[in-house]
């Protein structure tokens, strides 16, 4: 994870780098730093512990002057957040400066060797070996770029690295190794910019309608960027002809739109997110679904024997809902698994296995690695992803874009609902193609899908009840979330939302598991949120609620409009509209997001950037 920006051109570098870093804070925000090569060719560095804002040098006397530089916003892996551990890092004589994203897996071994050769380290980071390895190469007479590629060959692990050096050459080198963490490069009119992700390019291209010539590094590639242009090569120095792309800055511009937090804005955007996930895929007129450009032929879809869904965090919960949908709508055996576990098993995958990866960012290291594994084993690979041009989209045979618009809040909301919508469509498409889903059932699903944005909009029209409940519950220390069947993953998602943004301890369970342990936690100080919509598991969940009430537990229940009977038996009821079972998770998720948001806000938490987390987790 961690954000990287580097600039070479004719403007003052630090404000451009700072703006790029602000736009990358979703990648980590526990410390930050900027290095600039000043006009006498010396490297000047400023660092801060905490967020990027601490680097604003506008009113400071120790401002940085120079038109070449690089910066970093960190999510700590090796070494706690501190000035010494914040990037950029330098060699023994401050001739080389480096920012880094990822983990140098063999850093202990490299560090020992470098120390034996007299190199002095000033941080606890793995990154610092990179600067000293480059120093070693340059001491041996190698050029800056050759020392850079030599260093790359000595590292183990997945990473992205960017470096520059003292003097007036104005040269930035960037490298990508493995699949955790990308590097993008753009150049125009004597200015080059390098970033770990597309928003880093915005300071230079904000007013353009299209940025052309954007280069994405693949593993084992490096770029040399100067005022004259960008060139690409492999680590043996062979030039590479890079296929570049055109990107619209509008697609990556971000704005809070009058809301106090991005998370609230994104919750409110969910009706549009769900509607746009359906665009071109749901044929409302004929009551069926379609997937334009789907590369799997009808015969190939008919010969599928299994579907495996993978993801991490919120995307794992979407995968778990997806498992139910695939089983029900397409009649295929389906499994959902955390990508971080899947990649370390020996999963049985063949060309009759459809692997569906889910990820908002398309950059989560474990998910990308699991996709590589699935591909190596010959599986058919589809991704459901929000970020265009991300690794997942480049790897998969077919991308179902979530089309939720950029999501900034670290806690995923609208991309979760967009994933669930897309999974319904994918499952129905497979069912239709295999002749398992009847045209009546497809028609009914489509009719309800069409109503979903409106139903979600109704739920968002008045959020006063969540504020009221938040006032009552924001001092709680523990929460249990219960759900069954297709709503069990929503219970886990509700618990994840609450713990990640409010720091309240919360656990989600399939409600049937309560009696096997968690019920021991119930007393009058324990709050349980139970998902009890009118679906096939309703009676079972009502029994589970009674078991909690019988032990004096406090119960909040999410119930279907009109269910006054159950509402009267619990402490507080939150209502959702009636819907067919497959679409209920799109509705039950919403009260849980709003409750978590208002509780976190009332606790004074940094809702959009919770401690210790990052939006895009590109370390393993
Ligand atoms: C991080 C975020 C989570 C997110 C997970 C997976 O842990 O904090 O909110 O669900 O990554 O991200 P992805 O981009 O793969 O959906």
């Amino acid at each position: 994870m961690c954000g990287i920006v580097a600039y070479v051109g004719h403007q003052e570098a630090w404000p451009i780098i700072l703006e790029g870093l602000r736009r990358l804070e979703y990648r980590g925000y526990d410390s930050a730093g900027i290095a600039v090569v000043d006009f006498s060719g010396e490297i000047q560095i400023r660092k801060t512990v905490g967020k990027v804002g601490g680097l604003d040098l506008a009113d400071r006397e120790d401002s940085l002057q120079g038109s070449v530089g690089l910066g970093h916003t960190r999510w700590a892996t090796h070494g706690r957040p501190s000035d010494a551990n914040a990037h950029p890092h330098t060699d023994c004589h401050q001739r080389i400066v480096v920012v880094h994203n990822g983990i140098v897996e063999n850093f202990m071994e490299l560090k020992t060797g470098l120390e034996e050769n007299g190199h002095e380290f000033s941080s606890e980071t793995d990154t610092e070996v990179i600067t000293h390895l480059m120093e070693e190469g340059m001491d041996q007479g190698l050029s800056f770029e050759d020392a850079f590629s030599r260093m790359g060959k000595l590292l183990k692990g997945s990473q992205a690295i960017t470096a520059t050096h003292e003097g007036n050459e104005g040269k930035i080198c960037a490298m990508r190794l493995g699949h955790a963490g990308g590097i993008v490069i753009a150049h125009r009119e004597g200015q080059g910019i390098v970033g770990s992700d597309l928003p880093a390019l915005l300071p230079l291209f904000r007013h353009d309608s299209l940025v052309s010539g954007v280069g994405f590094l693949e593993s084992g590639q490096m770029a040399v960027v100067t005022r004259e242009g960008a060139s690409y090569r492999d680590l043996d120095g062979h030039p590479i002809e890079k296929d570049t792309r055109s990107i619209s800055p509008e697609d990556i511009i971000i704005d809070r739109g009058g809301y106090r937090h991005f998370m609230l804005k994104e919750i409110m955007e969910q009706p549009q997110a769900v509607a746009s996930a359906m665009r071109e895929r749901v044929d409302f007129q004929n009551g069926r679904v379609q997937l334009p450009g789907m590369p799997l032929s009808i015969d190939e879809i008919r010969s599928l024997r299994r579907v495996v869904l993978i993801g991490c965090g919120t995307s794992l919960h979407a995968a778990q809902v997806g498992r139910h949908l695939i089983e029900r709508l397409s009649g295929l055996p389906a499994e959902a698994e955390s990508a971080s576990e899947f990649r370390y098993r020996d999963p049985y995958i063949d060309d009759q296995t459809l692997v569906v990866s889910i990820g908002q960012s398309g950059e989560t290291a474990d998910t990308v690695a699991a996709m590589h594994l699935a591909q190596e084993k010959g599986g058919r690979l589809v991704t459901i992803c929000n970020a265009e041009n991300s690794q997942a989209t480049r790897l998969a045979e077919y991308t179902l874009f979530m089309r939720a618009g950029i999501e900034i809040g670290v806690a995923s909301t609208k991309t979760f609902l967009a994933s669930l919508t897309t999974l319904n469509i994918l499952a129905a498409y497979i069912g239709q193609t295999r002749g398992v889903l009847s045209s009546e059932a497809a028609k009914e699903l489509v009719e309800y899908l069409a109503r979903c944005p409106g139903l979600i909009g109704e739920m968002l029209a008045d959020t006063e009840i969540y504020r009221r409940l938040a006032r009552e519950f924001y001092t709680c220390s523990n929460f249990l979330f219960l759900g069954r069947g297709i709503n069990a993953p929503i219970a886990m998602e509700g618990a994840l939302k609450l713990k990640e943004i409010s720091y309240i301890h919360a656990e989600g369970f399939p409600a049937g598991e309560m009696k096997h342990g968690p019920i021991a936690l119930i007393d009058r100080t324990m709050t349980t949120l139970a998902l009890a919509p009118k679906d096939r598991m309703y009676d079972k969940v009502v029994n589970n609620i009674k078991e909690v009430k019988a032990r004096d537990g406090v119960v909040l229940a999410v119930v279907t409009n009109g269910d006054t009977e159950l509402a009267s038996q619990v402490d507080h009821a939150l209502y959702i509209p009636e819907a067919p079972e497959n679409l209920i998770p799109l509705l039950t998720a919403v009260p849980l997001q709003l409750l978590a948001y208002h509780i976190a806000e009332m606790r004074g938490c940094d809702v959009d950037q919770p401690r210790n987390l990052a939006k895009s987790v590109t370390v393993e």
Side-chain angles (χ1 to χ4, degrees), residues 98-150:
V98 165
V99 287
H100 169 229
N101 169 30
I103 295 174
V104 181
E105 286 171 6
N106 54 338
F107 95 99
M108 277 311 294
E109 179 192 324
L110 291 170
K111 186 171 177 175
T112 309
L114 286 159
E115 280 176 335
E116 279 167 12
N117 291 338
H119 289 264
E120 283 177 22
F121 283 72
S122 47
S123 76
E124 304 159 85
T125 63
D126 52 335
T127 305
E128 209 185 325
V129 299
I130 296 172
T131 61
H132 295 283
L133 285 174
M134 289 185 66
E135 180 176 36
E136 194 175 65
M138 289 180 83
D139 285 347
Q140 290 166 9
L142 295 179
S143 66
F144 176 62
E145 49 269 58
D146 287 347
F148 190 70
S149 52
R150 169 188 174 271

Short mmCIF file of all heavy atoms in Angstrom, two decimals, residues 98-150:
data_model
loop_
_atom_site.label_atom_id
_atom_site.label_comp_id
_atom_site.label_asym_id
_atom_site.label_seq_id
_atom_site.Cartn_x
_atom_site.Cartn_y
_atom_site.Cartn_z
N VAL A 98 14.83 7.54 -2.10
CA VAL A 98 13.95 6.46 -2.55
C VAL A 98 12.62 6.49 -1.80
O VAL A 98 12.58 6.74 -0.60
CB VAL A 98 14.64 5.09 -2.30
CG1 VAL A 98 13.65 3.93 -2.41
CG2 VAL A 98 15.79 4.88 -3.25
N VAL A 99 11.53 6.21 -2.52
CA VAL A 99 10.25 5.90 -1.89
C VAL A 99 9.83 4.52 -2.37
O VAL A 99 10.17 4.12 -3.48
CB VAL A 99 9.16 6.96 -2.18
CG1 VAL A 99 9.42 8.23 -1.43
CG2 VAL A 99 9.02 7.23 -3.68
N HIS A 100 9.05 3.82 -1.54
CA HIS A 100 8.85 2.40 -1.78
C HIS A 100 7.49 1.97 -1.27
O HIS A 100 7.03 2.44 -0.23
CB HIS A 100 9.99 1.67 -1.02
CG HIS A 100 9.85 0.19 -0.93
ND1 HIS A 100 9.99 -0.47 0.27
CD2 HIS A 100 9.61 -0.75 -1.85
CE1 HIS A 100 9.85 -1.77 0.07
NE2 HIS A 100 9.61 -1.97 -1.21
N ASN A 101 6.88 1.06 -2.00
CA ASN A 101 5.61 0.47 -1.59
C ASN A 101 5.76 -1.05 -1.72
O ASN A 101 6.14 -1.53 -2.78
CB ASN A 101 4.51 0.99 -2.52
CG ASN A 101 3.21 0.24 -2.35
OD1 ASN A 101 2.92 -0.26 -1.26
ND2 ASN A 101 2.44 0.15 -3.41
N GLY A 102 5.49 -1.78 -0.65
CA GLY A 102 5.63 -3.24 -0.70
C GLY A 102 6.57 -3.72 0.39
O GLY A 102 6.89 -2.99 1.32
N ILE A 103 7.01 -4.95 0.27
CA ILE A 103 7.90 -5.51 1.30
C ILE A 103 9.10 -6.16 0.64
O ILE A 103 8.96 -6.98 -0.27
CB ILE A 103 7.14 -6.54 2.17
CG1 ILE A 103 6.01 -5.84 2.95
CG2 ILE A 103 8.09 -7.25 3.13
CD1 ILE A 103 5.11 -6.78 3.72
N VAL A 104 10.31 -5.79 1.12
CA VAL A 104 11.53 -6.46 0.66
C VAL A 104 11.68 -7.70 1.54
O VAL A 104 12.07 -7.61 2.70
CB VAL A 104 12.77 -5.54 0.82
CG1 VAL A 104 14.02 -6.25 0.32
CG2 VAL A 104 12.56 -4.23 0.07
N GLU A 105 11.33 -8.84 0.98
CA GLU A 105 11.26 -10.04 1.82
C GLU A 105 12.62 -10.50 2.33
O GLU A 105 12.72 -11.09 3.38
CB GLU A 105 10.56 -11.17 1.05
CG GLU A 105 9.07 -10.91 0.95
CD GLU A 105 8.34 -11.85 0.02
OE1 GLU A 105 8.97 -12.80 -0.49
OE2 GLU A 105 7.15 -11.62 -0.21
N ASN A 106 13.68 -10.22 1.58
CA ASN A 106 15.02 -10.65 2.01
C ASN A 106 15.82 -9.50 2.62
O ASN A 106 17.03 -9.46 2.54
CB ASN A 106 15.79 -11.27 0.83
CG ASN A 106 15.86 -10.34 -0.38
OD1 ASN A 106 15.03 -9.46 -0.52
ND2 ASN A 106 16.83 -10.55 -1.25
N PHE A 107 15.10 -8.54 3.22
CA PHE A 107 15.83 -7.35 3.67
C PHE A 107 16.82 -7.61 4.80
O PHE A 107 17.88 -7.00 4.87
CB PHE A 107 14.86 -6.20 3.99
CG PHE A 107 14.47 -6.07 5.44
CD1 PHE A 107 15.09 -5.15 6.26
CD2 PHE A 107 13.47 -6.86 5.97
CE1 PHE A 107 14.73 -5.02 7.59
CE2 PHE A 107 13.09 -6.74 7.28
CZ PHE A 107 13.73 -5.83 8.10
N MET A 108 16.52 -8.60 5.66
CA MET A 108 17.44 -8.86 6.77
C MET A 108 18.79 -9.32 6.24
O MET A 108 19.85 -8.86 6.67
CB MET A 108 16.85 -9.93 7.70
CG MET A 108 15.85 -9.41 8.71
SD MET A 108 16.41 -7.96 9.61
CE MET A 108 17.77 -8.62 10.55
N GLU A 109 18.70 -10.24 5.30
CA GLU A 109 19.92 -10.79 4.70
C GLU A 109 20.70 -9.68 3.96
O GLU A 109 21.91 -9.53 4.14
CB GLU A 109 19.42 -11.86 3.72
CG GLU A 109 20.39 -12.61 2.92
CD GLU A 109 19.58 -13.38 1.83
OE1 GLU A 109 18.44 -13.84 2.10
OE2 GLU A 109 20.11 -13.46 0.70
N LEU A 110 19.97 -8.85 3.20
CA LEU A 110 20.63 -7.77 2.46
C LEU A 110 21.23 -6.76 3.42
O LEU A 110 22.35 -6.28 3.23
CB LEU A 110 19.62 -7.07 1.54
CG LEU A 110 19.11 -7.89 0.35
CD1 LEU A 110 17.93 -7.18 -0.33
CD2 LEU A 110 20.23 -8.12 -0.66
N LYS A 111 20.48 -6.45 4.47
CA LYS A 111 20.95 -5.45 5.44
C LYS A 111 22.23 -5.91 6.12
O LYS A 111 23.19 -5.14 6.25
CB LYS A 111 19.83 -5.19 6.46
CG LYS A 111 20.14 -4.07 7.43
CD LYS A 111 18.92 -3.74 8.26
CE LYS A 111 19.26 -2.66 9.29
NZ LYS A 111 18.10 -2.21 10.04
N THR A 112 22.25 -7.18 6.51
CA THR A 112 23.45 -7.70 7.17
C THR A 112 24.66 -7.55 6.25
O THR A 112 25.72 -7.07 6.66
CB THR A 112 23.23 -9.19 7.55
OG1 THR A 112 22.00 -9.27 8.25
CG2 THR A 112 24.34 -9.73 8.41
N GLY A 113 24.49 -7.93 4.99
CA GLY A 113 25.59 -7.83 4.03
C GLY A 113 26.04 -6.39 3.86
O GLY A 113 27.25 -6.10 3.84
N LEU A 114 25.08 -5.48 3.76
CA LEU A 114 25.42 -4.06 3.55
C LEU A 114 26.13 -3.50 4.78
O LEU A 114 27.10 -2.75 4.67
CB LEU A 114 24.14 -3.27 3.24
CG LEU A 114 23.56 -3.48 1.84
CD1 LEU A 114 22.07 -3.10 1.80
CD2 LEU A 114 24.34 -2.68 0.80
N GLU A 115 25.65 -3.89 5.97
CA GLU A 115 26.28 -3.39 7.19
C GLU A 115 27.71 -3.91 7.30
O GLU A 115 28.62 -3.17 7.70
CB GLU A 115 25.45 -3.80 8.42
CG GLU A 115 24.27 -2.87 8.62
CD GLU A 115 23.35 -3.27 9.75
OE1 GLU A 115 23.30 -4.47 10.11
OE2 GLU A 115 22.65 -2.38 10.28
N GLU A 116 27.89 -5.16 6.90
CA GLU A 116 29.27 -5.71 6.92
C GLU A 116 30.18 -4.92 5.99
O GLU A 116 31.38 -4.80 6.23
CB GLU A 116 29.24 -7.19 6.50
CG GLU A 116 28.84 -8.08 7.65
CD GLU A 116 28.49 -9.50 7.20
OE1 GLU A 116 28.78 -9.86 6.03
OE2 GLU A 116 27.92 -10.23 8.03
N ASN A 117 29.60 -4.36 4.92
CA ASN A 117 30.40 -3.55 4.00
C ASN A 117 30.46 -2.09 4.40
O ASN A 117 30.85 -1.23 3.60
CB ASN A 117 29.83 -3.66 2.58
CG ASN A 117 30.04 -5.05 2.01
OD1 ASN A 117 30.93 -5.77 2.45
ND2 ASN A 117 29.22 -5.44 1.05
N GLY A 118 30.00 -1.77 5.61
CA GLY A 118 30.17 -0.42 6.14
C GLY A 118 29.00 0.53 5.96
O GLY A 118 29.10 1.70 6.30
N HIS A 119 27.89 0.05 5.43
CA HIS A 119 26.74 0.96 5.25
C HIS A 119 26.05 1.18 6.60
O HIS A 119 25.85 0.25 7.36
CB HIS A 119 25.75 0.38 4.25
CG HIS A 119 26.27 0.40 2.85
ND1 HIS A 119 25.96 1.40 1.96
CD2 HIS A 119 27.11 -0.43 2.20
CE1 HIS A 119 26.58 1.17 0.82
NE2 HIS A 119 27.29 0.06 0.94
N GLU A 120 25.67 2.43 6.83
CA GLU A 120 25.00 2.74 8.10
C GLU A 120 23.53 3.00 7.86
O GLU A 120 23.17 3.83 7.01
CB GLU A 120 25.65 3.97 8.73
CG GLU A 120 26.96 3.60 9.38
CD GLU A 120 27.68 4.80 9.94
OE1 GLU A 120 27.03 5.82 10.21
OE2 GLU A 120 28.91 4.69 10.08
N PHE A 121 22.70 2.35 8.65
CA PHE A 121 21.25 2.48 8.48
C PHE A 121 20.69 3.46 9.51
O PHE A 121 21.12 3.48 10.65
CB PHE A 121 20.57 1.11 8.64
CG PHE A 121 20.73 0.25 7.41
CD1 PHE A 121 21.96 -0.32 7.10
CD2 PHE A 121 19.66 0.04 6.55
CE1 PHE A 121 22.12 -1.08 5.96
CE2 PHE A 121 19.80 -0.73 5.42
CZ PHE A 121 21.04 -1.29 5.12
N SER A 122 19.71 4.24 9.09
CA SER A 122 19.16 5.19 10.05
C SER A 122 17.67 4.94 10.31
O SER A 122 17.01 5.76 10.93
CB SER A 122 19.39 6.61 9.56
OG SER A 122 19.04 6.72 8.21
N SER A 123 17.10 3.84 9.80
CA SER A 123 15.69 3.55 10.08
C SER A 123 15.53 2.05 10.31
O SER A 123 16.46 1.28 10.10
CB SER A 123 14.82 3.96 8.88
OG SER A 123 14.95 3.01 7.84
N GLU A 124 14.32 1.68 10.74
CA GLU A 124 14.04 0.23 10.93
C GLU A 124 13.40 -0.36 9.69
O GLU A 124 12.95 -1.50 9.70
CB GLU A 124 13.03 0.05 12.08
CG GLU A 124 13.43 0.65 13.40
CD GLU A 124 12.18 0.86 14.26
OE1 GLU A 124 11.78 -0.09 14.95
OE2 GLU A 124 11.61 1.96 14.25
N THR A 125 13.28 0.41 8.62
CA THR A 125 12.50 -0.06 7.47
C THR A 125 13.27 -1.04 6.60
O THR A 125 14.50 -1.05 6.57
CB THR A 125 12.12 1.13 6.56
OG1 THR A 125 13.33 1.69 6.05
CG2 THR A 125 11.34 2.18 7.31
N ASP A 126 12.48 -1.85 5.86
CA ASP A 126 13.09 -2.70 4.84
C ASP A 126 13.52 -1.84 3.64
O ASP A 126 14.49 -2.15 2.95
CB ASP A 126 12.08 -3.77 4.39
CG ASP A 126 10.74 -3.20 3.97
OD1 ASP A 126 10.39 -2.10 4.44
OD2 ASP A 126 10.04 -3.83 3.17
N THR A 127 12.83 -0.72 3.45
CA THR A 127 13.09 0.15 2.29
C THR A 127 14.54 0.61 2.22
O THR A 127 15.11 0.77 1.14
CB THR A 127 12.18 1.40 2.39
OG1 THR A 127 10.85 0.96 2.49
CG2 THR A 127 12.35 2.32 1.19
N GLU A 128 15.12 0.85 3.39
CA GLU A 128 16.44 1.49 3.38
C GLU A 128 17.49 0.63 2.67
O GLU A 128 18.46 1.17 2.14
CB GLU A 128 16.86 1.84 4.81
CG GLU A 128 17.78 3.06 4.80
CD GLU A 128 18.34 3.38 6.17
OE1 GLU A 128 17.61 3.20 7.16
OE2 GLU A 128 19.50 3.81 6.22
N VAL A 129 17.29 -0.68 2.61
CA VAL A 129 18.30 -1.49 1.89
C VAL A 129 18.37 -1.07 0.42
O VAL A 129 19.41 -1.18 -0.21
CB VAL A 129 18.06 -3.03 1.98
CG1 VAL A 129 18.11 -3.52 3.40
CG2 VAL A 129 16.78 -3.45 1.31
N ILE A 130 17.25 -0.58 -0.09
CA ILE A 130 17.21 -0.19 -1.51
C ILE A 130 18.21 0.94 -1.78
O ILE A 130 18.98 0.91 -2.75
CB ILE A 130 15.77 0.23 -1.89
CG1 ILE A 130 14.84 -0.97 -1.75
CG2 ILE A 130 15.71 0.84 -3.28
CD1 ILE A 130 13.36 -0.64 -1.90
N THR A 131 18.20 1.94 -0.90
CA THR A 131 19.09 3.09 -1.12
C THR A 131 20.56 2.65 -1.02
O THR A 131 21.39 3.07 -1.82
CB THR A 131 18.82 4.19 -0.08
OG1 THR A 131 19.07 3.67 1.23
CG2 THR A 131 17.40 4.69 -0.15
N HIS A 132 20.85 1.79 -0.04
CA HIS A 132 22.24 1.38 0.14
C HIS A 132 22.70 0.45 -0.99
O HIS A 132 23.86 0.49 -1.38
CB HIS A 132 22.43 0.73 1.51
CG HIS A 132 22.21 1.71 2.64
ND1 HIS A 132 23.15 2.67 3.00
CD2 HIS A 132 21.13 1.91 3.44
CE1 HIS A 132 22.65 3.39 4.00
NE2 HIS A 132 21.44 2.95 4.28
N LEU A 133 21.78 -0.38 -1.49
CA LEU A 133 22.15 -1.23 -2.63
C LEU A 133 22.47 -0.35 -3.85
O LEU A 133 23.39 -0.63 -4.60
CB LEU A 133 21.01 -2.20 -2.97
CG LEU A 133 20.81 -3.38 -2.04
CD1 LEU A 133 19.55 -4.16 -2.44
CD2 LEU A 133 22.03 -4.32 -2.06
N MET A 134 21.70 0.70 -4.01
CA MET A 134 21.97 1.60 -5.15
C MET A 134 23.30 2.32 -4.96
O MET A 134 24.07 2.51 -5.90
CB MET A 134 20.84 2.61 -5.31
CG MET A 134 19.57 1.97 -5.82
SD MET A 134 18.30 3.19 -6.14
CE MET A 134 19.05 4.07 -7.51
N GLU A 135 23.54 2.71 -3.72
CA GLU A 135 24.80 3.39 -3.42
C GLU A 135 25.98 2.47 -3.76
O GLU A 135 26.96 2.89 -4.39
CB GLU A 135 24.82 3.74 -1.93
CG GLU A 135 26.07 4.46 -1.48
CD GLU A 135 25.98 4.86 -0.01
OE1 GLU A 135 25.40 4.10 0.80
OE2 GLU A 135 26.51 5.93 0.33
N GLU A 136 25.81 1.20 -3.38
CA GLU A 136 26.86 0.21 -3.66
C GLU A 136 27.11 0.13 -5.17
O GLU A 136 28.24 0.13 -5.63
CB GLU A 136 26.38 -1.15 -3.13
CG GLU A 136 27.43 -2.21 -3.03
CD GLU A 136 26.81 -3.45 -2.37
OE1 GLU A 136 25.90 -4.06 -2.96
OE2 GLU A 136 27.22 -3.80 -1.26
N GLY A 137 26.02 0.09 -5.95
CA GLY A 137 26.14 0.01 -7.41
C GLY A 137 26.84 1.23 -7.97
O GLY A 137 27.72 1.13 -8.84
N MET A 138 26.44 2.41 -7.49
CA MET A 138 27.05 3.64 -8.03
C MET A 138 28.52 3.75 -7.61
O MET A 138 29.36 4.22 -8.37
CB MET A 138 26.23 4.87 -7.61
CG MET A 138 24.90 4.91 -8.36
SD MET A 138 23.85 6.31 -7.95
CE MET A 138 24.52 7.60 -9.00
N ASP A 139 28.82 3.25 -6.39
CA ASP A 139 30.23 3.24 -5.95
C ASP A 139 31.07 2.33 -6.85
O ASP A 139 32.27 2.53 -7.01
CB ASP A 139 30.34 2.75 -4.50
CG ASP A 139 29.89 3.83 -3.53
OD1 ASP A 139 29.75 4.99 -3.95
OD2 ASP A 139 29.65 3.49 -2.34
N GLN A 140 30.40 1.32 -7.42
CA GLN A 140 31.13 0.42 -8.34
C GLN A 140 31.23 1.02 -9.75
O GLN A 140 31.68 0.37 -10.69
CB GLN A 140 30.41 -0.93 -8.43
CG GLN A 140 30.52 -1.75 -7.16
CD GLN A 140 29.53 -2.93 -7.14
OE1 GLN A 140 28.88 -3.22 -8.13
NE2 GLN A 140 29.43 -3.56 -5.99
N GLY A 141 30.73 2.24 -9.93
CA GLY A 141 30.86 2.92 -11.22
C GLY A 141 29.64 2.81 -12.12
O GLY A 141 29.68 3.26 -13.27
N LEU A 142 28.56 2.20 -11.61
CA LEU A 142 27.36 2.10 -12.45
C LEU A 142 26.65 3.46 -12.54
O LEU A 142 26.73 4.27 -11.62
CB LEU A 142 26.38 1.08 -11.86
CG LEU A 142 26.84 -0.38 -11.81
CD1 LEU A 142 25.74 -1.24 -11.17
CD2 LEU A 142 27.14 -0.88 -13.22
N SER A 143 25.94 3.66 -13.65
CA SER A 143 25.12 4.86 -13.76
C SER A 143 23.94 4.73 -12.79
O SER A 143 23.66 3.63 -12.28
CB SER A 143 24.58 4.98 -15.19
OG SER A 143 23.69 3.90 -15.43
N PHE A 144 23.22 5.83 -12.59
CA PHE A 144 22.06 5.82 -11.68
C PHE A 144 21.05 4.76 -12.10
O PHE A 144 20.62 3.92 -11.30
CB PHE A 144 21.43 7.21 -11.67
CG PHE A 144 20.18 7.31 -10.85
CD1 PHE A 144 20.19 7.07 -9.48
CD2 PHE A 144 18.97 7.65 -11.45
CE1 PHE A 144 19.03 7.17 -8.73
CE2 PHE A 144 17.81 7.75 -10.71
CZ PHE A 144 17.85 7.50 -9.35
N GLU A 145 20.71 4.74 -13.40
CA GLU A 145 19.68 3.77 -13.82
C GLU A 145 20.17 2.33 -13.78
O GLU A 145 19.41 1.41 -13.48
CB GLU A 145 19.05 4.11 -15.18
CG GLU A 145 19.98 4.43 -16.30
CD GLU A 145 20.28 5.93 -16.38
OE1 GLU A 145 20.77 6.47 -15.36
OE2 GLU A 145 20.04 6.53 -17.43
N ASP A 146 21.48 2.13 -14.03
CA ASP A 146 22.00 0.75 -13.95
C ASP A 146 22.07 0.29 -12.48
O ASP A 146 21.81 -0.88 -12.17
CB ASP A 146 23.36 0.64 -14.62
CG ASP A 146 23.23 0.72 -16.15
OD1 ASP A 146 22.08 0.60 -16.64
OD2 ASP A 146 24.24 0.93 -16.84
N ALA A 147 22.42 1.23 -11.60
CA ALA A 147 22.44 0.88 -10.17
C ALA A 147 21.01 0.56 -9.71
O ALA A 147 20.79 -0.31 -8.87
CB ALA A 147 23.01 2.04 -9.36
N PHE A 148 20.05 1.25 -10.30
CA PHE A 148 18.64 1.04 -9.96
C PHE A 148 18.20 -0.37 -10.40
O PHE A 148 17.62 -1.12 -9.62
CB PHE A 148 17.80 2.12 -10.66
CG PHE A 148 16.36 2.18 -10.23
CD1 PHE A 148 16.00 2.62 -8.96
CD2 PHE A 148 15.34 1.83 -11.10
CE1 PHE A 148 14.67 2.70 -8.56
CE2 PHE A 148 14.00 1.91 -10.73
CZ PHE A 148 13.68 2.35 -9.46
N SER A 149 18.54 -0.74 -11.65
CA SER A 149 18.09 -2.06 -12.11
C SER A 149 18.86 -3.18 -11.39
O SER A 149 18.28 -4.22 -11.06
CB SER A 149 18.18 -2.20 -13.63
OG SER A 149 19.45 -1.85 -14.08
N ARG A 150 20.13 -2.95 -11.11
CA ARG A 150 20.90 -3.96 -10.36
C ARG A 150 20.24 -4.21 -8.99
O ARG A 150 20.06 -5.36 -8.57
CB ARG A 150 22.35 -3.47 -10.17
CG ARG A 150 23.16 -4.31 -9.19
CD ARG A 150 24.51 -3.66 -8.90
NE ARG A 150 25.23 -4.36 -7.87
CZ ARG A 150 25.12 -4.10 -6.57
NH1 ARG A 150 24.29 -3.15 -6.14
NH2 ARG A 150 25.81 -4.79 -5.69
#
